[in-house]
Structure formats: C-alpha cells, structure tokens
Amino acid sequence: MEWDDLRHFLAVARTGSLTDAARALKSSAATVGRHVDALEDKLGAQLFERRSTGYVLTETGTVVLAKAEEAEEAVLSLERETIGADLRLAGRVRVATTEDLATMVVVPALPGFCSSNPLISIELLARVDLSNLTRRDADLALRTVRPDKGDLLMRRVGAVDLAVYASTGYAMARQLGDGSVDFGKVEVVSWIDEMANLRGGAWLAEHAAASRISLRVNTTRLLFDACRAGMGLAILPCFAADGDQGLVCVVPPEQVLSIDAWLVMHRDLARTARVRAVADFIVSLGPRLSRRSSPGDVDWH
C-alpha cells in the first residue's frame, strides 16, 4: 500500500469531492480518482459510494479513514521533526491569517523583513477558516481565536480593537459623533448568517437590534467598501479604519470590543530557524493591532 494512495483517499474523504480534493492537493480530479481506484483495488473493497452529490464513505471506508489518519500523523510527524532541525534562514514558510490582518497589517511590513531575509520565501494564506497546523496547511497562524487542541505553541501578540464606523457623509447627514448612537435611526452593514458570530457580529445583534440591516457580506473588504460607500454603520478593526479618511469612528472600541490576537505554530517547528524568524517578525507587529497599549506575551506557551 502506497502513502500517495492514502493521501489522495484522505483528501476525498475530507472534501467529499474529487474536484475539491484535487484543488487541495494541487492536482487534477483524474489523478485523484486514479489513486482512489488503485487503493480500492489493492484492498479489494469499495471505500466510497459515488453519488451525484459527491463521494460518501462506506462502512469499510470509515474504518480505513481512521487507519489512514494514523499513517498520516506518523508521516507528518517525521516531516515536522526533520524540518525542526533545519537551522538555515532559508526556505518556504506558510502563514495563515484573516484577510484584513494579511492585507492591512502583515503585507505593509513585509518589504523590510524580506529585504533582511532574502532566502526566506513567505506564502500568505488569507482565509476565514482555521488552518490545520497538524496537517501542515500552514506553518504559522495569526488568529483572533485561541486554539484549544493540538500539540501547539501559542503566543498572544496583542489585541485587535474594534469600533463602529460610518462614512464621513453618512455621519454628517445623521449628525453622528464619537459616542452614543441611536441605532433605531441608522442602518448597519453586517455579516451573512453563516458568519454571524464573526468579529463584532454578536455585539451588533445585541446593541443594534433596532437597526435596519442594509447589506450582509462575507468578506472584510466588502464590509469596508459598503461602509465607505455610505450603506450604514459597520464594526471594523481600528488598525485599518482609523487611517481611512473616508471613515469616521462613531462608537469607540472602549464601548465595543477588543479581541486577543494569537500566533500559533506546531511544537515540532519551534526549532526551525526560518519559522522562528517569521514568527518573531509577526510578533513585532503586535502594537499595530490596537489603538491603546496592549503588550503581548513575552514567551510561547
């Protein structure tokens, strides 16, 4: 039995689709299908039911999945231990974070880091879902959600201040200032239902229940653009909105929310020089996240 067959089987089991598995593996659906067929031939068993809606594990497939995940963990553990012994400031480091943190905090500071570390190649993944560091979806993750499982090291790098903003024109038309807002007389821009608990969503649901929701969005960029266009009030991170001349803060973060930001890595990568170099760089960005002094942790734990 070949690991490559198991790797493709795992991708299909997790995504339920040859196409999605191929995208995750940077391969083709035909190649993924051949590996799954090869594994079924070697085992003499059907692992998936091929339905019009996708691939569904059979009872045998569920048993194989558990064993395949054990094999995967052994392979990935060996990879991490090998990488962990690499003392060179060279190679690829994958960093996963949210869209706004990537574009408004990390990227503006990257030129200086890359100039000092020309042999380190950074891959920046902007995604809402939490990357799986155990499966090495990423080497580092900068998140506002603290992980509660996995053999991970984490460090609080600071706090993200969130406040309520409006476009300058919207604020002037409704005579909004920096303070209290009668939410019954304004519109708000919020997240789609599937993302209702994302940053500030719960605060809006509690404090702006009387507001008309003028637009629901699924990305931070759309949230900014809609607020800037005068669609209504929105909860935005101060690290970006404060510097936008088209926006004005109408409820300060002291009355809204601050969320801890965590940098996370797998414990096996702690001795990898290039990963630690990138981690130290991201930690140095902590003061940019908050209006107020919000020092991060002094060490990993």
Side-chain angles (χ1 to χ4, degrees):
M1 188 181 305
E2 297 182 7
W3 163 241
D4 215 24
D5 292 338
L6 287 175
R7 186 168 64 91
H8 285 78
F9 161 77
L10 282 167
V12 176
R14 287 165 177 158
T15 63
S17 161
L18 294 183
T19 302
D20 290 343
R23 187 179 297 113
L25 295 170
K26 298 180 180 179
S27 182
S28 68
T31 298
V32 175
R34 284 197 297 272
H35 281 284
V36 171
D37 292 343
L39 182 60
E40 288 183 328
D41 289 343
K42 291 171 185 175
L43 295 175
Q46 183 179 349
L47 304 179
F48 294 102
E49 292 180 17
R50 277 75 166 171
R51 300 179 182 176
S52 58
T53 55
Y55 277 52
V56 179
L57 284 168
T58 62
E59 186 175 346
T60 301
T62 301
V63 174
V64 172
L65 174 62
K67 297 298 183 182
E69 288 180 331
E70 291 178 6
E72 178 189 47
E73 175 53 33
V75 171
L76 294 177
S77 178
L78 178 60
E79 289 181 357
R80 291 192 301 267
E81 289 180 11
T82 302
I83 293 171
D86 192 344
L87 302 180
R88 299 171 299 164
L89 286 172
R92 185 185 72 174
V93 179
R94 304 190 86 192
V95 181
T97 188
T98 57
E99 180 187 26
D100 54 353
L101 286 171
T103 58
M104 302 171 192
V105 177
V106 179
V107 169
L110 269 179
F113 175 83
C114 293
S115 177
S116 301
N117 300 274
L119 299 182
I120 296 179
S121 173
I122 293 181
E123 288 189 2
L124 193 56
L125 312 176
R127 50 196 297 180
V128 173
D129 60 309
L130 296 176
S131 296
N132 190 314
L133 299 184
T134 300
R135 293 204 302 264
R136 293 209 60 212
D137 292 347
D139 301 307
L140 294 165
L142 177 60
R143 294 291 177 191
T144 52
V145 176
R146 179 176 180 171
D148 56 6
K149 60 182 178 180
D151 191 15
L152 304 173
L153 290 174
M154 62 193 73
R155 183 170 176 177
R156 180 183 172 278
V157 299
V160 175
D161 280 346
L162 301 173
V164 180
Y165 292 84
S167 71
T168 53
Y170 189 96
M172 289 179 62
R174 288 160 179 78
Q175 298 182 329
L176 302 177
D178 188 354
S180 61
V181 172
D182 184 348
F183 281 97
K185 298 180 180 180
V186 297
E187 294 79 31
V188 298
V189 182
S190 189
W191 299 105
I192 59 175
D193 289 343
E194 298 92 318
M195 301 165 67
N197 291 320
L198 208 57
R199 293 185 202 159
W203 191 95
L204 270 184
E206 178 183 353
H207 294 83
S211 299
R212 183 179 72 86
I213 297 179
S214 62
L215 184 68
R216 297 182 188 274
V217 299
N218 71 335
T219 72
T220 303
R221 179 171 181 175
L222 286 173
L223 198 65
F224 266 90
D225 289 347
C227 185
R228 196 181 294 113
M231 292 291 294
L233 277 56
I235 293 185
L236 302 172
C238 298
F239 61 70
D242 280 350
D244 192 320
Q245 294 183 351
L247 297 172
V248 59
C249 180
V250 296
V251 183
E254 293 83 358
Q255 298 178 31
V256 184
L257 190 63
S258 288
I259 307 174
D260 287 340
W262 298 90
L263 182 61
V264 187
M265 75 167 80
H266 198 282
R267 190 176 300 274
D268 290 342
L269 297 180
R271 292 181 293 116
T272 306
R274 65 179 182 273
V275 175
R276 287 305 292 256
V278 176
D280 290 343
F281 157 68
I282 294 175
V283 168
S284 74
L285 303 180
R288 303 187 184 201
L289 301 179
S290 176
R291 277 185 176 185
R292 300 156 291 174
S293 176
S294 180
D297 293 348
V298 297
D299 207 351
W300 296 84
H301 51 88

